[in-house]
Every structure is written in structure tokens, then in C-alpha cells.
Amino acid sequence: MGRVAAVSIVSTDTDYLHRIQAGHFALDTDEPKALGGQGAAPAPFDLYLSSLAACTAITLRMYAQRKDWNLGEFRAELSLTRDEEGKLHIHRVLRSDQPLSDEQWNRLLEIVANTPVTKAMREGAEISSERGAFIAL
């Protein structure tokens, strides 16, 4: 089984601000003030949607380049809602400042339905947890 990604997270002395290390990139996460956080960084569901937005934009850019299509400035706007039964729903709106044909848009919508992160979110992942010894840094 090959590793796809690895991250670590460390608490701070501020509720609920945490520091994430993803490879050699550092970023923060927090909760909004309404949930007891400081609102100092994206909340976990913001990061969840951000990963899908990033995969959407990168995958479509790669595909368009292979087809020699000019996407120009590309935008993807995503929203996450929860229905009455508690099920999550994600909606994406894709935009380009270039005059793409209906055929091109239809193909892009087919491609976006199968990006790696789209598939992972749709199919789910097996999640396991274990206790580890604390190692002071």
C-alpha cells in the first residue's frame, strides 16, 4: 500500500487553534468564534472543501492543457450543506473567463465527477486510530 499523503497536527495554547504540517507546508486550523474558537484560520470543513476545490482546479487545468484548451482564469465555487437527515451535500459551480463550447463544458463536467479527491470523498475511506507514545519536540 503506497502512501498518498501524511500530515501531523499539534495543539496550541489557544482554543481551538492548531498547527498542521503537511509535507514542508505549515498551515493553521481553528473553529469560528461561534463555536468557541478564535476564527483565526480555516475550520476543518473549510479545509475539507478546499481539498476538493484544489483537486478540481488542478485536474481540470491538467486536462485542458492536454487537450490544448484555454481555460483562462478558472474558478470553482464549492458549498457544503447538511440536509434534514444529516447527510452532507457538496455543490460545485465551475467558471471560466474563456468562451468554451457546450461540448467542452460537458467533458469538463464529466472529468470533474471523477477527480481523485471527488472519488475519495464519494467512496469514503477506512479510518483507523491507535494510541501512540508522546514524543516531546
Side-chain angles (χ1 to χ4, degrees):
M1 178 178 355
R3 179 180 286 188
V4 175
V7 302
S8 62
I9 189 165
V10 178
S11 60
T12 68
D13 59 357
T14 304
D15 287 342
Y16 293 103
L17 185 64
H18 285 73
R19 307 269 183 237
I20 299 170
Q21 191 70 39
H24 63 276
F25 299 100
L27 59 149
D28 292 341
T29 187
D30 194 3
E31 287 290 350
K33 289 183 178 184
L35 296 178
Q38 306 305 306
F45 274 119
D46 296 328
L47 296 172
Y48 179 78
L49 267 188
S50 296
S51 69
L52 181 59
C55 190
T56 296
I58 291 168
T59 300
L60 291 184
R61 179 71 60 190
M62 287 176 172
Y63 182 80
Q65 286 175 340
R66 283 199 320 268
K67 293 292 189 178
D68 204 26
W69 296 351
N70 180 10
L71 284 185
E73 183 177 299
F74 175 80
R75 295 180 187 185
E77 299 158 1
L78 288 76
S79 61
L80 179 67
T81 58
R82 192 180 299 273
D83 65 21
E84 295 79 26
E85 288 83 42
K87 183 175 169 114
L88 293 173
H89 298 270
I90 297 172
H91 182 72
R92 283 185 281 218
V93 177
L94 310 179
R95 303 178 194 279
S96 171
D97 68 354
Q98 296 301 301
L100 300 171
S101 70
D102 288 343
E103 183 178 303
Q104 288 173 311
W105 273 114
N106 288 337
R107 186 63 184 138
L108 291 173
L109 290 169
E110 288 175 13
I111 296 298
V112 81
N114 292 296
T115 71
V117 174
T118 300
K119 286 182 176 180
M121 288 181 171
R122 189 173 48 238
E123 296 167 4
E126 184 176 315
I127 301 172
S128 60
S129 302
E130 68 179 76
R131 177 184 173 179
F134 186 81
I135 302 169
L137 299 177

